[in-house]
C-alpha cells in the first residue's frame, strides 16, 4: 500500500528536513586508513593515514600549548608485546600564527600521515590496537577519536645476530583497519547532508598564503635595503657603481656590468638557501622540528644577543681574512667571472653589518616552519634589497649626486639595528620557555624587558646616552628626533600591557595573556579576584569568559537553572577551539549580549576536547561510532552527537527547563547582530 501526500505537504516536509540538516550535521572531514609496513629484526611500522576534506585542517602533535588541540596517539596492549622505537613521525605540516591564541599553530592540510616504528617482543602477537584523538577545523571545529586495529605479520624467533628478515621479502601488509570509517547511527544516516563545500574558504586560504608570501618577501626586501645604510656597505655603493661605469669602456657596458654585479649579489643569497631544499627532501619534518626545538631557539637567542652587542660597538664580527683575500684575488680575473667574485667579496667584507640582519632573516624564517621555499623567497628578498642601490644607481647614475655623505648617522643606524636585534632575541627565548612551560619569562617580564629596550632606544635617539663609536654632536637631526618619538610612543603603548591590555599591534611577540603572573592584569580592577569580597559562586560553578558564572557539568547546571527559573544556554566549546575564542572575544563582549549571558540565562560550557580521564565506571562505548569513550571531552562530544546530531564546535543551544530547544541551535556566528537577535528571541520565548 502506497501513502500519498498532498503536494504542499511534501514541500513543507522537505523544507523541514532541509532546515534541520542545516543546523545539525555530523561532520566527518577526515577519512582514515591504516597499514603495517614490515621491516627487519622483528620490527614493523604502523601507518595511520587520513585524507582531509578541502578547507579543513588537523592539528599536529607538535602544535604549541595554549593553542589548538594537538593529536594524541594512544598505543594500547604494549606491555610484554611490543615497544615503541622513537616518536611518532608526521608528514609535512604547515605553521601559521593564530592571534586568538597568540601561538604559532602547526597543522596538516589535505593529508595527515602518522608513522610509528615498533619492535615486536611477543612473536605470537596477532593484533595491535591504537587510537588517535584529534581536532579538525574549518569554519568550526570537530574533535574525534579514531580506533585502529593492526594485523601483525608473523614474526620469526631470532636465533642469531643475523637480521631476522634476511631471507624474506619486506612486504607491505594491509590491515583489516584499512579505510575504516566512523559508523553513524541509522537516524543520522537518513538525514545526513554532506558538508557544503565552501569555495570561498579555499580561495581565502590561498589568498592568505599568498599574502603571507608577499609579507615575507617585502619584509626581507626591506631588511636587505636597510642593510645598505650601514657603515660597511653604504660607502661602497658610489665607489662600486663609479668603477663599473668608468672602467668598462662604454656607458652601456658599464651599466650592464653594474647590473650583473647586483644580480650576482642576489644569486649568492639565493644559493645559500638551496641546501635546505635537499635537507627538506630527506626529512620533510625538518622545519617543524627546527621551529619547535628548544635548544635551537636558545641558540638563536644567544646569536641575536651577540649580534646586538656587536652592533652596539663592543666588537666586530667578521669573516676569516683568508676567505676575503681569496675572493678578492679571484675578482681580478676579469669578465663576468671576476664580477661574481667582486660581489662575493662585498658580501664577505660587509658581514659585520649584514650578518646580524641576515641572521634575523634566517632565524625568523627557520623558526616559523615555513619550508625551504619560504626560505628561498626570504633570501631572494634580502639579496634584492641589498643589490637594489647598486642596480638602481647603475641605471640612473645621475642620482648619485643626491646621496647623503657618509658620517656618524651610519653608526646611529647600526645601533638602532642593535636595539631591535636585542628585542627580537627575547622572542626566541620566550618560545623555549613556552615549550618547557617553566614560566621563567612570563608576559609581564617579557613586556618589562621590551619596555626597557625601546625606552633606552628613545633615550639614545634623543642624545641622552652615547655608545663607543658615536660622533660628538651638539644637536640631533630632525629624522633622528622623529625616530626617537616613534620609539618613545611605542614604549608608552606597551606599558598598559602590564595591566592586562591586549597590545594587538605586537600580539605575535609576547607570551599569551594566560601565560602570566596575573592573568587578569597587574592591579586588575575587575574580575573575581579584584576585590576583597569575592562573589559567592553556586555549588559546581566557575567563572567563564568575561567573568560569567558558568557550569562545566550538564546535570549540575540544569539543576541550578531550574532552581533560579532561567533558560539553559548550552555551549559546546573547547579549550583549543579558535572560533569559540573568537565568539567569546568579539561577540560575547558586546554589552547587549553580555547582559543576557550574565543575567537572563544559565551558561553551561561543555568542553569537548578535555582529555581528563573518566572514572572506570563512567567509561562506555559510543552507540554512534563504536569507539571507547574514556575521557571528559569524548563524553560531551558524544552527548552533542547523540542529542543534537552535531559534532561542530562552537555549537550553541538554548533550552527550557524541560530540555526542549527554544530556537534553532546556532553554530559559529561572528555577526553580533545576528547572535544578539537569536539570544533575545530565545529568552523571550522562555518568558512567554
Amino acid at each position: 500500500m502506497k501513502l500519498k501526500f498532498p503536494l504542499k505537504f511534501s514541500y513543507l516536509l522537505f523544507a523541514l528536513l532541509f532546515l534541520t540538516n542545516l543546523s545539525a550535521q555530523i561532520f566527518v572531514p577526515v577519512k582514515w586508513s591504516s597499514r603495517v609496513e614490515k621491516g627487519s629484526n622483528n620490527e614493523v611500522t604502523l601507518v595511520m593515514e587520513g585524507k582531509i576534506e578541502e578547507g579543513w585542517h588537523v592539528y599536529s602533535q607538535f602544535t604549541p600549548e595554549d593553542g589548538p588541540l594537538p593529536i594524541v596517539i594512544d598505543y594500547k596492549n604494549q606491555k610484554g608485546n611490543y615497544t615503541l622505537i622513537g616518536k611518532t613521525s608526521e608528514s609535512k605540516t604547515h605553521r601559521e600564527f593564530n592571534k586568538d591564541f597568540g601561538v604559532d599553530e602547526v597543522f596538516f592540510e589535505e593529508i595527515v600521515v602518522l608513522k610509528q616504528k615498533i619492535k615486536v617482543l611477543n612473536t605470537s602477537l596477532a593484533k595491535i590496537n591504537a587510537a588517535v584523538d584529534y581536532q579538525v577545523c574549518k569554519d568550526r571545529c570537530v574533535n574525534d577519536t579514531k580506533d585502529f586495529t593492526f594485523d601483525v605479520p608473523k614474526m620469526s624467533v631470532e636465533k642469531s645476530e643475523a637480521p631476522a628478515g634476511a631471507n624474506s621479502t619486506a612486504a607491505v601488509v594491509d590491515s583489516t583497519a584499512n579505510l575504516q570509517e566512523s559508523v553513524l547511527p541509522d537516524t543520522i544516516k537518513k538525514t545526513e547532508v554532506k558538508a557544503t563545500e565552501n569555495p570561498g574558504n579555499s580561495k581565502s586560504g590561498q589568498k592568505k598564503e599568498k599574502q603571507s608570501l608577499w609579507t615575507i618577501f617585502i619584509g626581507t626586501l626591506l631588511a636587505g635595503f636597510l642593510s645598505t645604510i650601514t657603515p660597511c656597505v653604504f660607502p661602497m655603493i658610489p665607489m662600486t657603481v663609479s668603477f663599473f661605469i668608468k672602467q668598462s669602456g662604454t656607458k652601456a657596458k658599464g651599466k650592464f656590468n653594474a647590473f650583473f654585479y647586483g644580480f650576482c649579489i642576489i644569486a649568492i643569497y639565493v644559493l645559500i638557501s638551496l641546501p635546505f631544499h635537499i635537507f627538506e627532501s630527506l626529512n620533510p619534518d625538518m622545519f617543524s622540528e627546527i621551529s619547535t626545538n628548544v635548544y635551537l631557539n636558545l641558540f638563536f637567542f644567544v646569536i641575536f644577543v651577540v649580534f646586538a652587542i656587536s652592533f652596539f660597538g663592543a666588537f666586530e664580527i667578521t669573516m676569516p681574512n683568508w676567505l676575503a683575500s681569496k675572493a678578492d684575488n679571484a675578482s681580478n680575473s676579469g669578465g663576468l667571472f671576476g664580477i661574481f667574485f667582486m660581489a662575493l667579496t662585498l658580501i664577505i667584507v660587509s658581514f659585520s653589518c649584514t650578518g646580524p640582519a641576515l641572521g634575523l632573516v634566517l632565524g625568523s624564517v627557520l623558526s616559523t616552519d615555513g619550508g625551504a621555499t619560504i626560505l628561498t623567497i626570504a633570501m631572494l628578498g634580502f639579496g634584492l634589497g641589498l643589490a637594489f642601490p647598486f642596480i638602481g644607481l647603475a641605471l640612473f647614475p645621475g642620482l648619485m649626486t643626491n646621496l647623503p655623505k657618509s658620517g656618524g648617522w651610519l653608526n646611529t643606524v647600526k645601533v638602532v639595528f642593535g636595539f631591535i636585534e636585542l628585542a627580537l632575541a627575547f622572542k626566541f627565548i620566550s618560545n623555549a620557555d613556552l615549550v618547557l612551560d617553566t614560566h621563567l619569562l612570563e608576559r609581564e617580564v617579557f613586556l618589562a624587558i621590551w619596555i626597557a629596550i625601546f625606552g633606552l632606544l628613545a633615550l639614545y635617539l634623543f642624545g641622552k646616552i652615547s655608545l663607543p663609536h658615536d660622533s660628538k654632536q651638539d644637536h640631533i637631526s630632525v629624522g633622528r628626533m622623529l625616530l626617537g618619538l616613534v620609539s618613545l610612543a611605542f614604549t608608552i603603548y606597551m606599558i598598559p600591557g602590564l595591566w592586562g591590555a591586549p597590545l594587538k599591534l605586537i600580539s605575535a611577540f609576547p607570551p599569551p595573556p594566560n601565560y602570566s603572573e596575573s592573568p587578569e592584569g597587574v592591579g586588575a580592577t575587575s574580575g573575581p579576584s579584584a576585590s576583597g569580597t569575592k562573589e559567592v559562586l553556586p555549588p559546581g560553578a566557575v567563572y567563564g569568559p568575561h567573568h560569567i558564572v558558568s557550569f562545566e557539568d550538564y546535570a549540575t547546571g540544569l539543576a541550578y537553572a531550574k532552581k533560579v527559573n532561567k533558560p539553559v544556554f548550552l555551549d559546546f566549546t573547547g579549550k583549543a577551539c579558535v572560533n569559540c575564542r573568537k565568539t567569546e572575544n568579539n561577540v560575547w563582549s558586546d554589552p547587549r549580549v553580555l547582559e543576557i549571558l550574565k543575567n537572563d540565562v544559565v551558561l553551561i560550557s561543555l568542553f569537548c576536547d578535555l582529555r581528563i580521564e573518566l572514572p572506570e565506571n563512567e567509561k562506555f562505548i559510543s552507540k554512534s561510532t563504536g569507539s571507547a569513550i574514556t575521557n571528559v571531552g569524548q563524553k560531551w562530544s558524544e552527548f552533542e552527537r547523540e542529542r543534537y546530531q552535531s559534532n561542530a564546535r562552537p555549537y550553541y543551544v538554548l533550552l527550557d527547563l524541560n530540555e526542549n530547544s527554544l530556537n534553532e541551535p546556532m553554530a559559529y556566528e561572528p555577526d553580533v547582530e545576528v547572535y544578539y537577535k537569536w539570544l533575545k528571541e530565545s529568552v523571550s520565548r522562555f518568558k512567554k
Side-chain angles (χ1 to χ4, degrees), residues 71-104:
I71 279 180
V72 173
I73 309 157
D74 180 18
Y75 297 98
K76 304 177 180 180
N77 66 316
Q78 287 188 50
K79 191 173 182 180
N81 291 319
Y82 63 93
T83 58
L84 305 181
I85 302 175
K87 295 181 179 180
T88 303
S89 65
E90 297 182 345
S91 54
K92 185 175 178 62
T93 56
H94 305 270
R95 178 174 285 265
E96 187 174 304
F97 180 73
N98 186 313
K99 65 180 181 181
D100 295 289
F101 287 119
V103 299
D104 289 324

Side-chain angles (χ1 to χ4, degrees), residues 302-607:
V302 173
I303 290 296
F304 275 40
V305 171
V306 170
F307 280 157
I309 295 172
S310 170
F311 268 175
F312 292 150
F315 51 81
E316 280 197 1
I317 302 172
T318 58
M319 298 287 272
N321 289 331
W322 62 266
L323 187 61
S325 298
K326 283 193 174 184
D328 188 44
N329 292 335
S331 68
N332 296 324
S333 59
L336 298 180
F337 187 74
I339 293 174
F340 175 82
F341 279 96
M342 284 183 67
L344 182 60
T345 303
L346 171 75
I347 290 171
I348 293 171
V349 299
S350 65
F351 182 77
S352 61
C353 291
T354 60
L358 182 60
L360 176 62
V361 171
L362 286 171
S364 299
V365 174
L366 288 176
S367 68
T368 56
D369 188 25
T373 302
I374 302 295
L375 180 60
T376 298
I377 291 171
M379 297 300 281
L380 173 65
F382 186 83
L384 183 59
L386 187 64
F388 180 77
F390 296 95
I391 297 173
L393 291 174
L395 296 176
F396 306 99
L399 295 176
M400 281 194 293
T401 58
N402 298 323
L403 286 178
K405 293 181 179 181
S406 300
W409 67 272
L410 288 174
N411 189 67
T412 301
V413 171
K414 192 175 178 181
V415 171
V416 170
F417 283 171
F419 278 105
I420 295 172
E421 198 99 16
L422 183 61
L424 292 174
F426 284 92
K427 172 59 179 171
F428 291 100
I429 197 171
S430 174
N431 289 343
D433 182 60
L434 285 165
V435 171
L436 294 174
D437 197 32
T438 59
H439 286 263
L440 294 176
L441 191 65
E442 294 181 315
R443 185 178 177 88
E444 292 91 346
V445 178
F446 184 97
L447 289 175
I449 292 171
W450 268 40
I451 289 167
I453 290 173
F454 286 97
L456 277 176
L457 174 57
L459 291 175
Y460 172 78
L461 290 170
F462 288 137
K464 300 302 180 182
I465 58 175
S466 60
L467 291 171
H469 298 296
D470 286 330
S471 303
K472 291 184 179 180
Q473 53 187 2
D474 55 3
H475 69 280
I476 61 172
S477 65
V478 173
R480 183 166 176 165
M481 182 194 70
L482 292 175
L483 192 58
L485 286 173
V486 171
S487 180
L488 180 60
F490 183 59
T491 303
I492 295 171
Y493 167 77
M494 287 189 290
I495 293 174
L498 298 173
W499 281 265
L503 304 181
K504 294 181 180 180
L505 287 179
I506 58 168
S507 59
F509 292 96
N514 60 326
Y515 197 79
S516 167
E517 293 178 4
S518 305
E520 296 168 16
V522 178
T525 57
S526 63
S529 62
S531 62
T533 57
K534 287 188 177 181
E535 178 184 350
V536 179
L537 288 170
V542 297
Y543 284 107
H546 309 291
H547 311 299
I548 304 169
V549 175
S550 170
F551 293 85
E552 295 181 358
D553 178 76
Y554 181 74
T556 306
L558 179 62
Y560 180 75
K562 290 180 178 179
K563 180 180 178 181
V564 296
N565 193 35
K566 291 181 181 180
V568 170
F569 180 66
L570 198 53
D571 166 31
F572 290 99
T573 183
K575 296 288 185 182
C577 169
V578 177
N579 288 333
C580 302
R581 300 295 86 76
K582 286 182 178 178
T583 302
E584 292 160 7
N585 293 337
N586 303 327
V587 180
W588 287 15
S589 59
D590 181 84
R592 297 169 299 168
V593 174
L594 193 56
E595 176 73 17
I596 293 176
L597 294 179
K598 282 191 170 184
N599 301 314
D600 297 334
V601 299
V602 172
L603 174 62
I604 303 177
S605 294
L606 303 180
F607 291 91

Side-chain angles (χ1 to χ4, degrees), residues 35-194:
R35 63 181 184 274
V36 178
E37 295 178 352
K38 182 75 167 65
S40 58
N41 294 328
N42 285 10
E43 292 180 1
V44 297
T45 300
L46 310 180
V47 183
M48 294 156 280
E49 183 174 319
K51 293 183 179 179
I52 308 168
E53 286 189 14
E54 185 179 354
W56 292 81
H57 51 271
V58 173
Y59 293 103
S60 160
Q61 57 188 324
F62 303 114
T63 203
E65 287 188 19
D66 301 320
L69 196 69
I71 279 180
V72 173
I73 309 157
D74 180 18
Y75 297 98
K76 304 177 180 180
N77 66 316
Q78 287 188 50
K79 191 173 182 180
N81 291 319
Y82 63 93
T83 58
L84 305 181
I85 302 175
K87 295 181 179 180
T88 303
S89 65
E90 297 182 345
S91 54
K92 185 175 178 62
T93 56
H94 305 270
R95 178 174 285 265
E96 187 174 304
F97 180 73
N98 186 313
K99 65 180 181 181
D100 295 289
F101 287 119
V103 299
D104 289 324
E105 57 186 24
V106 184
F107 55 90
F108 304 91
E109 289 181 341
E110 297 182 358
I111 190 167
V112 48
V113 181
L114 307 171
K115 291 187 177 184
Q116 176 63 58
K117 186 178 287 187
I118 67 166
K119 185 174 183 66
V120 177
L121 305 176
N122 179 5
T123 54
S124 62
L125 179 67
K127 296 183 183 296
I128 291 175
N129 298 318
V132 174
D133 193 6
Y134 64 97
Q135 184 178 70
V136 55
C137 295
K138 189 180 180 182
D139 54 352
R140 61 199 68 195
C141 291
V142 173
N143 296 89
D144 208 348
T145 301
K146 184 62 182 175
D147 294 318
F148 295 94
T149 301
F150 298 91
D151 287 339
V152 181
K154 287 287 184 181
M155 296 291 175
S156 59
V157 180
E158 298 179 15
K159 296 181 179 179
S160 66
E161 294 182 0
N167 298 321
S168 63
T169 312
V172 177
V173 182
D174 290 332
S175 76
T176 55
N178 193 35
L179 296 177
Q180 299 181 62
E181 295 183 4
S182 298
V183 181
L184 300 176
D186 292 338
T187 55
I188 299 173
K189 286 181 180 177
K190 292 175 183 177
T191 60
E192 182 182 7
V193 177
K194 186 178 179 182

